[in-house]
Amino acid sequence: MEIVTKSTRNVLQPRLLSLRVNGVPRILEVSPWVSLLDGLRDHLDLTGTKKGCDHGQCGACTVICDGKRILSCLTLAVMKNGSEITTIEGISNGDELHPLQKAFIEHDAFQCGYCTPGQICSAIGMIDEKKAQTRAEVKDSMSGNLCRCGANSNIIDAIMEVKERRNHA
Amino acid sequence: MLDLPQIGQPVSRLEGRAKVTGTAKYAGEYNADGLLYGYVVNSTITRGKIVHIDTNAVKEIEGVIEVFTHENRPSLAWFDMQYSDMDAPPGSPFRPLQNAEIKYNGQPIALIVAETFELARYAASILKVSYQGESFETDLYNHQNEARDPKKGVATLLKPLPPKPKGDFEKAFSDSAAQVSAEFVHGTEHHNPIELFATTTIYEGEGKVTIYDKTQGTINCQLYVGNIFGLHFKNVRVISPYVGGAFGSGLRPQYQLFLSVMAALQLKRSIRVTLDRQQMYTFGHRPPTIQKTRFGADSDGKVNAINHTAIGETSRHEDYTEVVVNWANIIYPAKNTILEYQLLPMDVSSPLDMRAPGGSTASHAIESTMDELAHKMKIDPMQFRLINYADIDVSENRPFSSKELRQCYIQGAEKFGWAERNPEPRSMRRGHKLVGYGMATGFWEAMSIPARAEAVLTREGKLRVSSAVTDIGTGTLTVMTQIAADELGLPLDDVQFCYGDSKMPFAPIQGGSFTLATVGSAIKVAGKALRKKILKKAKEMKNSPLKNASDGDVIFERGGISLKSNPDVLISFREIIVANEDKEIKTTNMSVPNVFKLKNYTRAAHSAAFVEVEIDEELGTIQVKRAVTAVAAGKIINPKTARSQILGGMIWGISKALYEETISDHRYGRYMNQNLGEYHIPSHADVHELDVIFVEEKDEIINELGSKGVGEIGLVAMAPAISNAIFHATGKRINKLPIHFDELL
């Protein structure tokens, strides 16, 4: 049986990556088969980014990469050498929570909390995209982030409040 | 400062900050030095034997530490009882890697342990297994005639079998002015919490482990691990501070717990085993169920004959049961009934309680049948429920401890605008869309069981309360803190609730909507005992102004004890602690429901759901445009988190009615949509206007809090309300869930 041969072992040799994660330069030494999600969780101990399916189907792993929301489970860490990554751990300003974080607490926009980091990162990316305007459009463009507890309406309420406040600012 | 009672306040979740900043850690997120990774390999056949597993090739991979199979599984506990947990149905619990026998498709057959997650996963993907297959059966519908009565066991206590037949159903039914018979079917459903099942076992030295587990019962898992691996209970600590949803899937210890602990003990290393999404379909599910109803009503609209039968799927090794057919006659007081429940064992994993088990299944059949009967008799569906309103539970001939269902109907209908409903099906439309209004009644038993709690007045004069209970996202931390705060009249900031740790006082598994009543009552008992102790210390203080005060003369408020007759007298908790030589004051107590009193009452939460659907006439696409659920569940401890619970239940109802189903290919005995792309649940775009009403309900019997749980009651009425609305919109009665657009074309 063909397993890890000399040549494949070579392919699996860890690579050195340099990333800026939440504003801090980080060196990551990972094999090419490590997803950005596992790189964050297992190698940098940033477990705020969640794994719900590992298949790009639930959105729990959403992070912001170079200003865009991406699914970190569908991204190999080596693809993002030199990138700027923001995870849920990096969106508040010190002790001052991000408006979306505050709105999520206020609107009770989570129950178990497991999809929450992905929902919030996705909402930040969605608002910055400036495409979705109405509530219906926001619901559509947030539909890649599943919530099993059924906090959906509270999540959209929280996002709409922040989005509308920003529109009026 | 006004000391408001904390109970009844819409307090935001106390763990909110941890959850929105990513600091909340779940079971698979604890790292340890030299942590190993386990990946499970699952059977690809449905029934038969493993002939050979070629572990050598995989073990040669650098970084693979061990491959565990039935051939090298250590010798462990022998008796079924040692594998039983608090939620085990009658039968033989599944034992991972016990032998070569395959009982169901997806059964775990090996655990690969490696230095990295990726390596373990890779090794699992190339492990060669040869099988000898045998014939199997997974198709419930085509084997109904083989159904049999369920076995009885300890679990039967919480899941009573159907009551005996009453009156003369056949005669009453044939004499009825209107009759309806129907068959209802729903497929398999999987809990699918977004957090994957995971266990991190920290090896603490010979025979000692600390386990971070995804579970709904820390002590349940502690006892399970201790029994199977022969460890002292005190050397097994199970911690689950955050649980990323469970919905029943964590009521029993799952196989990743067993495998993780087994590997840690064998290798004397710390190890994490996380299931992947596909593996989330390889244990526990809501069983597919076939129900038949025959309801008959008098000319005045009174239901006088109820026949409700159900056949539920179970595994071949355990008799998992649900309470399905017992409800109808509690809700509607017919004099003639036949209620039957049977099981049909199939080659599947044992089913497992899933949010509103039994109740959500039953209500689909009962409430759709009632709707059809109302339609036949040309009576408004809500009016029909009011005509058949049960003032007492005729099935047990006893009163309800409280029942404000009538107000649920009235207030829900008012808010929804039910009066605007044109009774004729297919009569309401909006452009090219058909509009339908439907409603249904919801019912869920309000249970409580014994639990313990510790209450401590800390050296800082604050309150710390603890229980081993988990918080699966229901808001347990927040509501227990509120309940505890009122015991000593403290603000929430001065109260800490510790939970999710088997080292803490006993709590049963968290489920069935009984946690609030169970653990909340334990906190009340411990709080009362603590007050007594604190007052005693206060009275013993030198020149105590409370020297002659009795329990009734004092108030616990403003961070201390004051005299009712003279509020200027206040001894602070801190002063009392100082007088107690700066030592904390603590007590641990147990609450036991007063069974002798409670058995004289039927105890339940009620609801009424009202739904509007919009259906594209040409495409058949269905949307739940708005819904109102009115709930009577006694005292609502926290209206904010309780509302979210009901909203969540309603969305589960939408999912059950229109989206979710695990589809089997019976030729292979295998689920075909084991992922979140093809197992559909509502996305944000599928959720529209939802409204919740809590109807005022006083219950002085049920427990000291007067409160019933709200975890399931939001779900039960939704699916039938939706299918009734679809009937109203289209004139088509679809009795198989989920309802898809193609059935409306």
Side-chain angles (χ1 to χ4, degrees):
Chain A
M1 191 198 307
E2 187 72 6
I3 312 179
V4 184
T5 62
K6 256 191 183 148
S7 61
T8 52
R9 191 174 298 145
N10 199 29
V11 171
L12 290 175
Q13 279 302 314
R15 314 290 163 92
L16 276 182
L17 311 176
S18 76
L19 300 165
R20 267 182 93 78
V21 182
N22 299 328
V24 181
R26 303 290 297 256
I27 301 292
L28 196 55
E29 191 180 351
V30 291
S31 288
W33 64 3
V34 175
S35 68
L36 178 60
L37 173 59
D38 289 323
L40 291 168
R41 284 169 62 85
D42 289 348
H43 295 259
L44 297 179
D45 203 22
L46 289 170
T47 54
T49 306
K50 303 301 183 194
K51 184 188 281 191
C53 70
D54 226 7
H55 277 70
Q57 295 174 329
C58 76
C61 67
T62 308
V63 297
I64 299 156
C65 175
D66 300 325
K68 288 198 168 70
R69 51 176 173 164
I70 65 161
L71 297 173
S72 62
C73 77
L74 293 186
T75 310
L76 293 173
V78 290
M79 293 157 64
K80 294 297 170 191
N81 194 13
S83 287
E84 169 105 36
I85 312 278
T86 306
T87 69
I88 193 69
E89 289 94 342
I91 65 163
S92 60
N93 186 2
D95 277 350
E96 175 71 12
L97 293 179
H98 185 281
L100 274 165
Q101 291 174 312
K102 282 188 209 162
F104 266 60
I105 295 174
E106 187 51 38
H107 287 272
D108 208 28
F110 50 85
Q111 293 179 31
C112 78
Y114 200 79
C115 74
T116 312
Q119 301 278 0
I120 293 176
C121 287
S122 187
I124 291 172
M126 184 272 301
I127 292 172
D128 287 347
E129 287 160 15
K130 296 191 171 69
K131 285 181 195 153
Q133 295 306 329
T134 64
R135 188 180 172 95
E137 287 166 353
V138 167
K139 284 200 286 188
D140 267 351
S141 66
M142 284 299 297
S143 281
N145 291 84
L146 297 177
C147 167
R148 182 56 158 166
C149 296
N152 306 71
S153 40
N154 292 349
I155 291 170
I156 302 300
D157 285 347
I159 295 171
M160 288 310 287
E161 186 204 297
V162 173
K163 196 174 167 312
E164 276 160 17
R165 226 187 299 143
R166 188 159 303 187
N167 287 350
H168 293 123
Chain B
M1 196 191 92
L2 187 65
D3 276 321
L4 283 172
Q6 296 299 338
I7 289 180
Q9 298 301 316
V11 177
S12 292
R13 270 166 224 272
L14 301 176
E15 80 284 18
R17 198 179 175 94
K19 283 181 175 171
V20 301
T21 54
T23 56
K25 271 194 185 288
Y26 297 77
E29 299 177 342
Y30 286 84
N31 285 325
D33 285 341
L35 185 72
L36 296 174
Y37 294 81
Y39 209 94
V40 179
V41 180
N42 303 77
S43 166
T44 55
I45 69 161
T46 301
R47 190 174 177 179
K49 282 193 166 45
I50 300 167
V51 175
H52 182 61
I53 302 183
D54 181 11
T55 58
N56 287 337
V58 164
K59 278 193 213 162
E60 279 168 23
I61 303 174
E62 199 183 322
V64 171
I65 306 288
E66 183 58 280
V67 181
F68 290 100
T69 70
H70 64 281
E71 286 174 346
N72 63 349
R73 174 205 204 246
S75 167
L76 296 170
W78 184 253
F79 297 104
D80 277 341
M81 214 176 74
Q82 294 166 290
Y83 290 81
S84 287
D85 60 274
M86 291 179 193
D87 195 31
S92 299
F94 173 68
R95 306 179 186 192
L97 313 189
Q98 186 191 10
N99 52 35
E101 190 190 346
I102 301 295
K103 296 172 193 279
Y104 67 92
N105 208 306
Q107 173 182 322
I109 55 167
L111 179 76
I112 312 259
V113 181
E115 277 169 3
T116 69
F117 164 71
E118 292 78 12
L119 205 53
R121 179 177 57 184
Y122 170 67
S125 75
I126 60 164
L127 186 72
K128 281 264 193 298
V129 183
S130 54
Y131 303 93
Q132 188 184 351
E134 290 169 24
S135 64
F136 54 84
E137 253 334 312
T138 57
D139 189 352
L140 186 76
Y141 200 84
N142 286 330
H143 291 81
Q144 291 177 57
N145 55 351
E146 294 160 30
R148 58 157 174 81
D149 291 336
K151 292 176 198 140
K152 287 181 195 167
V154 183
T156 322
L157 287 174
L158 275 178
K159 291 179 169 179
L161 296 172
K164 294 201 163 54
K166 209 170 66 177
D168 184 346
F169 169 82
E170 294 299 346
K171 183 173 187 309
F173 183 68
S174 64
D175 291 349
S176 293
Q179 301 158 333
V180 169
S181 337
E183 181 184 274
F184 299 85
V185 181
H186 73 80
T188 305
E189 297 171 16
H190 279 85
H191 309 73
N192 271 311
I194 302 294
E195 182 199 14
L196 299 165
F197 266 75
T199 304
T200 307
T201 304
I202 308 295
Y203 184 73
E204 308 271 16
E206 200 59 47
K208 193 172 178 193
V209 284
T210 300
I211 301 165
Y212 297 93
D213 189 42
K214 176 178 178 67
T215 179
Q216 288 170 253
T218 54
I219 289 180
N220 193 28
C221 291
Q222 178 198 28
L223 299 178
Y224 176 83
V225 166
N227 281 332
I228 292 175
F229 296 97
L231 304 178
H232 286 295
F233 294 130
K234 66 175 173 46
N235 287 339
V236 180
R237 183 177 177 194
V238 178
I239 303 174
S240 314
Y242 293 102
V243 180
F247 316 111
S249 58
L251 288 173
R252 301 188 69 184
Q254 297 304 351
Y255 66 73
Q256 91 290 339
L257 169 68
F258 174 97
L259 295 173
S260 169
V261 173
M262 178 196 69
L265 291 172
Q266 286 297 107
L267 301 172
K268 302 188 188 301
R269 301 266 306 261
S270 298
I271 175 167
R272 175 190 302 154
V273 179
T274 307
L275 301 190
D276 65 23
R277 181 52 62 180
Q278 188 171 344
Q279 289 165 342
M280 297 286 282
Y281 296 76
T282 58
F283 58 91
H285 53 273
R286 192 194 298 281
T289 305
I290 302 160
Q291 303 178 74
K292 292 193 173 79
T293 57
R294 286 188 296 161
F295 286 16
D298 292 342
S299 53
D300 58 1
K302 284 229 155 94
V303 176
N304 60 9
I306 292 180
N307 174 205
H308 186 188
T309 65
I311 297 173
E313 176 215 64
T314 190
S315 65
R316 295 212 190 267
H317 50 279
E318 284 175 313
D319 269 18
Y320 168 84
T321 62
E322 292 182 339
V323 177
V324 177
V325 299
N326 307 20
W327 310 117
N329 199 219
I330 305 177
I331 309 172
Y332 305 115
K335 291 189 178 69
N336 306 283
T337 60
I338 298 177
L339 307 169
E340 291 168 332
Y341 177 75
Q342 290 194 307
L343 289 180
L344 182 47
M346 298 266 105
D347 295 297
V348 294
S349 63
S350 290
L352 177 57
D353 289 325
M354 178 163 157
R355 205 167 185 179
S360 63
T361 298
S363 67
H364 171 218
I366 298 166
E367 292 302 305
S368 303
T369 307
M370 287 296 284
D371 196 68
E372 182 63 21
L373 204 46
H375 173 69
K376 262 199 168 168
M377 301 194 78
K378 299 194 187 315
I379 302 175
D380 174 83
M382 190 178 86
Q383 192 56 38
F384 190 55
R385 264 75 169 190
L386 289 170
I387 292 171
N388 286 289
Y389 196 84
D391 290 307
I392 65 156
D393 170 6
V394 303
S395 78
E396 296 279 352
N397 200 22
R398 63 186 180 189
F400 292 94
S401 66
S402 63
K403 179 178 173 178
E404 295 295 344
L405 174 60
R406 194 184 302 275
Q407 278 304 312
C408 293
Y409 291 135
I410 293 168
Q411 293 181 30
E414 171 70 26
K415 181 112 189 177
F416 180 82
W418 182 254
E420 285 152 41
R421 180 180 186 268
N422 181 332
E424 198 57 38
R426 226 180 162 85
S427 62
M428 293 167 68
R429 58 172 62 232
R430 199 174 288 134
H432 62 283
K433 289 189 173 153
L434 299 166
V435 174
Y437 287 5
M439 59 86 58
T441 309
F443 180 96
W444 186 257
E445 221 186 326
M447 296 170 275
S448 58
I449 35 188
R452 290 168 70 83
E454 181 191 67
V456 180
L457 185 67
T458 68
R459 291 176 58 206
E460 295 76 35
K462 297 181 178 186
L463 175 61
R464 186 178 70 238
V465 178
S466 49
S467 157
V469 72
T470 47
D471 183 346
I472 53 175
T474 43
T476 308
L477 162 65
T478 310
V479 296
M480 295 308 162
T481 308
Q482 288 176 265
I483 292 167
D486 282 356
E487 288 302 306
L488 294 192
L490 287 170
L492 292 181
D493 284 348
D494 290 346
V495 182
Q496 189 189 10
F497 178 61
C498 303
Y499 65 103
D501 187 337
S502 64
K503 269 177 91 170
M504 290 169 186
F506 174 85
I509 44 180
Q510 180 180 26
S513 291
F514 57 63
T515 296
L516 175 62
T518 298
V519 179
S521 295
I523 290 175
K524 295 278 289 184
V525 171
K528 191 174 178 184
L530 185 65
R531 282 203 305 273
K532 227 184 183 121
K533 278 194 167 182
I534 299 171
L535 180 59
K536 185 164 178 282
K537 291 283 175 210
K539 288 169 73 165
E540 288 165 5
M541 285 167 69
K542 209 174 161 191
N543 303 325
S544 172
L546 301 177
K547 197 180 298 168
N548 300 316
S550 66
D551 287 1
D553 301 332
V554 298
I555 308 177
F556 283 72
E557 58 172 0
R558 291 175 286 157
I561 310 177
S562 73
L563 212 47
K564 266 185 193 164
S565 56
N566 181 4
D568 290 342
V569 171
L570 178 77
I571 303 183
S572 75
F573 293 142
R574 184 66 198 124
E575 289 172 83
I576 298 168
I577 288 291
V578 171
N580 193 40
E581 295 165 352
D582 224 15
K583 286 188 301 211
E584 58 185 30
I585 301 171
K586 68 175 170 184
T587 175
T588 304
N589 300 79
M590 181 152 183
S591 72
V592 181
N594 184 347
V595 184
F596 295 104
K597 181 173 97 179
L598 292 176
K599 73 176 171 56
N600 297 321
Y601 300 90
T602 291
R603 292 149 281 139
H606 292 87
S607 70
F610 297 85
V611 166
E612 177 189 316
V613 295
E614 214 177 64
I615 297 166
D616 189 295
E617 200 172 2
E618 281 162 40
L619 301 175
T621 48
I622 310 161
Q623 278 197 327
V624 174
K625 290 305 279 186
R626 60 193 184 94
V628 175
T629 295
V631 176
K635 176 82 187 162
I636 300 300
I637 306 295
N638 182 332
K640 191 177 212 169
T641 53
R643 176 176 172 274
S644 296
Q645 282 278 87
I646 300 300
L647 287 173
M650 290 169 76
I651 292 168
W652 270 62
I654 295 172
S655 191
K656 186 174 178 60
L658 303 179
Y659 301 103
E660 69 182 273
E661 180 178 18
T662 322
I663 296 160
S664 295
D665 186 331
H666 296 303
R667 293 171 304 172
Y668 304 104
R670 173 166 215 181
Y671 300 128
M672 302 310 288
N673 55 335
Q674 305 175 71
N675 61 76
L676 290 173
E678 292 163 300
Y679 186 96
H680 294 169
I681 61 169
S683 70
H684 293 307
D686 301 314
V687 177
H688 304 288
E689 259 178 74
L690 303 177
D691 219 331
V692 180
I693 298 169
F694 288 113
V695 163
E696 184 87 20
E697 183 176 76
K698 283 210 164 51
D699 194 323
E700 283 165 3
I701 289 155
I702 195 145
N703 52 50
E704 263 197 76
L705 292 158
S707 190
K708 304 167 182 176
V710 291
E712 346 267 333
I713 190 65
L715 164 56
V716 276
M718 273 302 276
I722 293 167
S723 70
N724 293 342
I726 291 172
F727 170 73
H728 181 236
T730 63
K732 284 187 186 171
R733 181 75 68 186
I734 313 288
N735 289 339
K736 182 190 173 300
L737 298 185
I739 300 171
H740 288 152
F741 69 95
D742 54 318
E743 285 154 306
L744 299 176
L745 295 177

